[in-house]
Amino acid sequence: MPFLICPDCGAENPLTAEICQVCGASLADVIPMDMDNSEADDGENDEFTLFSAEDKDLPELLNDLKQDHEPAGGGLPEIDLAGEGESSEVDDTPEWLDVIRKRAHEELDAAGEMTQRIVAAQESLTRQNEEERADYASWIEELRKETREEAVSGTEGQEEEPLEGPAPEKAKKDWLSRVRKASGKLETHDEPNAASRNLLDWLVALEEEQTGGMPSGEAGVTQPVDLRQRAHADESTREVRVGDGAQQAVAPKRLDLSREEREQADLLATTIADESTARPVQPITFGRRRWWVEFILAFFLIGGICFVLFSGRLFLLPEPPVTSGGQAVLNSVADLPEDAELLLVFDYQPAFAGELEWVAAPVLEALPDSVKVSVISTSASGPLLADSMLERLEIIPAIDLGYLPAEAFGAYGLAAGLASTQAAEFLPKGASELFEGEFHGILILSDNAERARVWVEQLSVLTPETPLNLLVTAQAGPMLRPYVDSGQVTGMMAGISDAAGLETSRTQGPNASQRWQAYQVGLLTLIGVLILGVLLNLRGGATQGDDI
Amino acid sequence: MKKVFGILTVLLVGLTVLSGYFFQAQLSPVLALIFQTGLVLFSAAGLIGIGYLLVLHIRRVIRGEKRIIQSVVLLIAFLIALIAGFVLTPQSTLYRDLILNVQIPVEASLLAVLAVTLLYASLRLIRVRGWTPMSIAFLGSAVFSLVLNSGLIQVSETSLGGRILAFLERLPLVGARGILIGMALGGLVMGLRYLLSLDRPYGGE
């Protein structure tokens, strides 16, 4: 009974079917086959009736195989190209297998490109590390098994077809392509298993390179090599010496550089070589200094500031507002209970003494008389600065804790000492008393955001119930503002502007306000000079020797 | 051997101090030893630095090199401060005024000079680089920050202008928070690198 064999999956389909019932492939051009006729003719006219006319170009190897013997058990034994184990199996193996082995030895390309590639892949894998080798070996083993199964099924399907004697060279190629098609994973570039093919092509290409063939291209520059094209350009079966791979010397690996990397390397080499190149020294010439510009600038800057300082307030300039942080500091100090203990931390350099004295003045003046003030310094000049400020404000400290070398002592000293008086035993004598007292409030006077940050982070965790306030310079204020917003710090006054606003609200003397206005005049002068300087120097490039 | 000794010392001290956060009572005597030793070493390093500076200037005076006047002034000021400190003690009002009345004006003047220098540097930036996006952004942000800090712009906090102003004033805070986070992460990483001996400043690496 005739039927249609699917060209893709090999399934049998009735004559009326237009597509394969298994895989759905089109059966439009498939020629019907009659299994009964083939079987009836078997043995009578083997040479010409076992295969259909379409398969007249089967390779000689397969024809011999079909004509001589049928495969036992329906499976194709594994081809042993190296001939290993031949002596032990010579008595058991059928004659057709001996024919295959003989042909495999005589014609090294008779094993087919697929087998050669697999063997080449095995040789290449031996040079990889153990882990990769295990992976690839398992994959190749799986591939071999799958290929064998497909080949066997394909052979079984062709057994009934007639043979037509020796096939030409073109027929051999067709046979190889059929085997590839049957394997599924070794298809040509227009087939879906491109990824597997890529890997196999890569292995074959690696084998070719190690056997001496280098990809064409510019020496030393890695160029993209289309392994697929190379593999298909050499479509015919190539000879692979099985077993020679392990004996071949492993060529040293080349350093693969992309074009960009090579350009960067060249640039680096050029730069290094250029460093020692002698160059003419261009003399520096100073241009004519515009002394009158500097004089005008100094006149307006110094004169404006002095005018404000010595003449009183300029009502043209707005008064600074009262900040919420400054008001919080003032409220925190004013709300201290009687006989409360307040800790003053002096942590600033003499350069900022003028600013911080004005910042601290409104707060310290608001202190109740009954409050006991303890003083500790964490800068080298701190004790002198604290003494000077408190004397000016007529505040007599109850306890002078002296100097705590905070920079050498670090944040850990504060944390350990505050957490446990036992741990504070190793502190300097004056500083150790710091951690024995219980303070109702802490005021930190600092010009450095980093050092103030250490105090805040340690104190806000170890003594969260103690109000912590910051009196800092305008420079350190922005860096410490997040601690105020997060609530770790009760309040903060930053710079003379906050002090002036607080002073204005308390209708006290004009000292801070005067200095704030002097500061404003100085800032306005700088802004004006900056803008004028830019407008008067609109030339694009600079010439060496020119001065502003 | 020397390298291994340094690594072991740093590792032991670092881990002990770190453990002290959690076992303060138990490690208090060891911590006392570590901190006192550290303070002594820190002070000794300061003394060595002062001594090196003095030797340098004394050598310059003896050899009659350039800027000998500055070296002489430095040596005289150092001797006065040292002797006054020993004789009068830091608690003395005279000593305090002697030091602060020199130190405060000098340091404050340096800051003033720094402000003017920055102004000149800004102008030179425009001259050297020309009008580039970076120079324009720098100049604009500098002028804008100065205007904001001058307190000339004052609006009600609840008004639209006040909200816009508050937003603009918060922009530096964004940068400040980023810097704080970066500092914290940087400190953590540096501590780990020291503990893991990836960085060995004590060993010249």
Side-chain angles (χ1 to χ4, degrees), chain A residues 404-414 417 426-428 431 435, chain B residues 35-36 39:
Chain A
L404 174 65
E407 292 182 356
F409 204 59
Y412 179 80
L414 295 175
F426 56 86
L427 289 172
F435 307 111
Chain B
F35 275 97
Q36 287 172 357
L39 286 174

Side-chain angles (χ1 to χ4, degrees), chain A residues 219-452:
Chain A
V221 179
T222 302
Q223 293 186 345
V225 178
D226 193 342
L227 297 177
R228 298 172 57 84
Q229 286 183 357
R230 235 172 60 175
H232 293 301
D234 187 13
E235 189 66 32
S236 61
T237 305
R238 291 183 301 102
E239 179 178 344
V240 176
R241 303 284 302 178
V242 179
D244 292 346
Q247 299 171 358
Q248 292 171 350
V250 178
K253 290 188 176 180
R254 295 175 60 90
L255 178 62
D256 291 335
L257 293 177
S258 65
R259 187 175 298 278
E260 184 182 3
E261 289 171 341
R262 186 173 181 82
E263 289 175 356
Q264 291 176 350
D266 292 342
L267 179 62
L268 178 62
T270 307
T271 305
I272 293 173
D274 190 53
E275 280 182 350
S276 57
T277 305
R279 295 185 184 83
V281 179
Q282 191 170 3
I284 300 175
T285 57
F286 293 96
R288 184 170 53 88
R289 299 180 67 87
R290 301 172 186 172
W291 61 270
W292 54 272
V293 175
E294 297 175 1
F295 178 78
I296 293 175
L297 169 64
F299 176 78
F300 277 104
L301 185 61
I302 299 174
I305 292 174
C306 290
F307 176 76
V308 176
L309 284 176
F310 296 113
S311 66
R313 297 183 61 176
L314 285 178
F315 293 97
L316 293 174
L317 296 174
E319 295 178 353
V322 181
T323 59
S324 56
Q327 192 63 49
V329 174
L330 202 61
N331 294 337
S332 175
V333 170
D335 293 342
L336 285 173
E338 288 194 4
D339 298 331
E341 292 190 7
L342 178 70
L343 176 65
L344 284 180
V345 179
F346 284 80
D347 184 40
Y348 60 91
Q349 302 299 318
F352 297 94
E355 182 180 6
L356 278 174
E357 284 182 1
W358 290 111
V359 172
V363 179
L364 296 182
E365 285 174 353
L367 275 178
D369 295 335
S370 59
V371 172
K372 297 178 182 176
V373 177
S374 299
V375 176
I376 188 169
S377 302
T378 52
S379 67
S381 304
L384 300 180
L385 295 170
D387 194 19
S388 174
M389 179 190 287
L390 295 179
E391 182 180 317
R392 189 172 302 161
L393 296 174
E394 298 177 351
I395 295 175
I396 301 174
I399 302 172
D400 189 356
L401 299 174
Y403 170 59
L404 174 65
E407 292 182 356
F409 204 59
Y412 179 80
L414 295 175
L418 287 171
S420 166
T421 54
Q422 186 181 2
E425 290 175 353
F426 56 86
L427 289 172
K429 183 181 177 182
S432 63
E433 297 176 4
L434 166 68
F435 307 111
E436 295 175 357
E438 292 184 359
F439 300 103
H440 297 85
I442 299 176
L443 278 176
I444 298 173
L445 289 81
S446 178
D447 65 337
N448 188 291
E450 175 69 18
R451 291 198 297 269

Side-chain angles (χ1 to χ4, degrees), chain A residues 290 533-534 536-548, chain B residues 123-132 135:
Chain A
R290 301 172 186 172
V534 170
L536 293 177
N537 294 284
L538 285 178
R539 288 183 300 176
T543 56
Q544 191 168 9
D546 280 359
D547 205 347
I548 296 173
Chain B
L123 293 177
R124 284 198 69 86
L125 175 71
I126 302 298
R127 282 184 60 85
V128 172
R129 296 293 178 91
W131 290 103
T132 63
S135 61

Side-chain angles (χ1 to χ4, degrees), chain B residues 161-172:
Chain B
R163 291 176 184 175
I164 294 174
L165 198 63
F167 171 76
L168 294 176
E169 287 177 343
R170 274 201 300 273
L171 288 180

